[in-house]
Amino acid sequence: MVELTSSHWLFLFWVFVVIVVMGLRKDPLVPCLLGLLTVGWLFKQSFVGGVTAVFNSLIVAGNEFWGIITVISLIVSLSKLLSDTGADYLVMSPAAKLMINADVAYWVMGISMLLFSWFFWPSPATALIGAIMVPVAVRAGLPAMGCAMAMNLFGHGIALSSDYIIQGAPTITAKAAGFANPSALMLASIPLTITMGLVTTVAAYILVKRDIAQNPEVHKAAREAMIAGEVKREINTVSYILAVLTPAAFALDVVAMSVLKLTGGDATALLGATAVLVLAFGTMLKYGWDGLEKMTDYIRDGFMFGIKIFAPVIIIGGFFFMGKGDLAKVILDAKTATGFLEDFGIALSQAVPLNKVFVALVTLATGIVVGLDGSGFSPLPLVGSVAATFGKAVPTIDVATLAALGQIGGVWTGGGTIIPWGLIPVAAITGVNPIELARRNFVPVVLGFIATTIVAVILM
């Protein structure tokens, strides 16, 4: 029988506080820090021990996430160069030419957003797709709301929740769930991602088609206004070189990952190195000797973005890592420390009969509730820890599938598909109301959650 101490109950109290704060759309950093301080203080029976636990947790979480922070920062730096040179326009123009009508435009827009979000992340992809492809899609007959829905569901939904190329989301979830690398979780997530993606995008497509049929004159006027506002891009030799080199380099990376079976840190290193080398070459090609200083600007801008995204996740992750045994020992600097959440899972299994349906619903609900703060990655340390907890409690459950389900719930909610405060970038670039966009996305996403949960239960 697991012995639950006062430290366990204090940790659980702060977990509930964090969830409530996130549910109220507030940042949970202060509760996480207070949780680290007080739990460390109680466990070590020393205020200084509590203070050191706070710092240790940041170092532990920073070490766990630093590789992902770096590769995302470098890729964002490269995307800025592509935008400045006009290479992004050349890369997207073949897809834009395929948009012959609203039906094709919806799927081309969505698939383009998916691919670019996998390689460049949804935030840079939103600016890229919005500036280049939205005017073409609207001209083809797809309403601006349809463009926004496609961008959200494919980019901030499918791409960000799977994150198969950069591997940021699965790395964070896998670490919290107890996996050495994200490959097992990524493999388990494939059927869930396919289910969620198909249900949501097809449902949204049906809604968009119905909207076009009911309001043809409104969309005709919007189409004419968008055509009048199109902007021309300046294209030169450097633009063409980077437009060919960048996709080719990343395509070779994908081939290398497959042939050499690179996952986790090795795959991240390959992508990061490719991004920074192409960035350096392109910067010098465009700016000559001035590129020596311009390279610094691009790197600085990229890392400012990366740190801005991950700074809160480090603190949140540091707190929830106390729920995992091996990391709790480092954070609390004590060989006797155990994973608080893991212990609760074992105790819960001994007191209450658990089944696959119950643990799936709890994990999904946890991801959704925590994702309400509007940060796609904030729920990941918690859903990973919850999956590991239930895995300890019910050894027959597939922890990877359970963690993948929680990741989908957290990212689809917090990443920006059904909460207005997470939809502002896409809403702004397409010119739609974020509240209305959230309302339009709600039914497809809920249907996706239901279908994906059923598939997860079957697979567990």
Side-chain angles (χ1 to χ4, degrees), residues 236-289:
N236 54 34
T237 304
V238 175
S239 308
Y240 285 100
I241 292 174
L242 289 177
V244 173
L245 175 62
T246 304
F250 282 111
L252 289 175
D253 281 353
V254 174
V255 172
M257 288 181 205
S258 176
V259 173
L260 303 176
K261 301 187 184 305
L262 300 179
T263 60
D266 293 333
T268 299
L270 184 63
L271 288 170
T274 299
V276 75
L277 290 174
V278 173
L279 171 65
F281 173 78
T283 303
M284 296 302 296
L285 194 64
K286 177 174 174 57
Y287 298 102
W289 285 112

Side-chain angles (χ1 to χ4, degrees), residues 89 131 139 227 229-235:
Y89 177 81
R139 187 173 63 209
I227 293 172
E230 289 188 31
V231 178
K232 299 295 183 181
R233 292 292 190 98
E234 181 181 346
I235 304 298

Side-chain angles (χ1 to χ4, degrees), residues 60-218:
V60 167
N63 288 337
E64 296 291 329
F65 299 150
W66 180 243
I68 295 301
I69 295 173
T70 301
V71 73
I72 288 175
S73 300
L74 294 175
I75 287 175
V76 169
S77 299
L78 176 59
S79 70
K80 181 69 166 59
L81 171 68
L82 297 180
S83 178
D84 288 349
T85 58
D88 56 352
Y89 177 81
L90 293 176
V91 172
M92 295 305 306
S93 57
K97 291 177 182 178
L98 296 174
M99 296 182 179
I100 57 176
N101 56 46
D103 300 271
V104 175
Y106 175 86
W107 295 106
V108 170
M109 170 80 72
I111 293 171
S112 299
M113 184 70 182
L114 173 65
L115 295 175
F116 274 79
S117 295
W118 265 340
F119 283 95
F120 294 101
W121 244 42
S123 297
T126 296
L128 174 65
I129 300 293
I132 297 171
M133 297 189 70
V134 168
V136 182
V138 171
R139 187 173 63 209
L142 183 66
M145 182 61 71
C147 295
M149 293 174 72
M151 292 173 68
N152 266 145
L153 299 178
F154 280 90
H156 295 84
I158 301 173
L160 190 60
S161 67
S162 58
D163 203 6
Y164 291 136
I165 305 300
I166 299 175
Q167 302 180 12
T171 295
I172 296 173
T173 308
K175 292 286 186 182
F179 294 97
N181 64 66
S183 56
L185 189 143
M186 290 167 61
L187 183 63
S189 73
I190 291 174
L192 305 186
T193 298
I194 292 173
T195 302
M196 187 73 185
L198 284 176
V199 172
T200 54
T201 56
V202 171
Y205 171 72
I206 293 171
L207 294 177
V208 170
K209 288 288 290 182
R210 186 184 67 179
D211 189 40
I212 294 174
Q214 293 176 347
N215 304 283
E217 293 303 319
V218 173

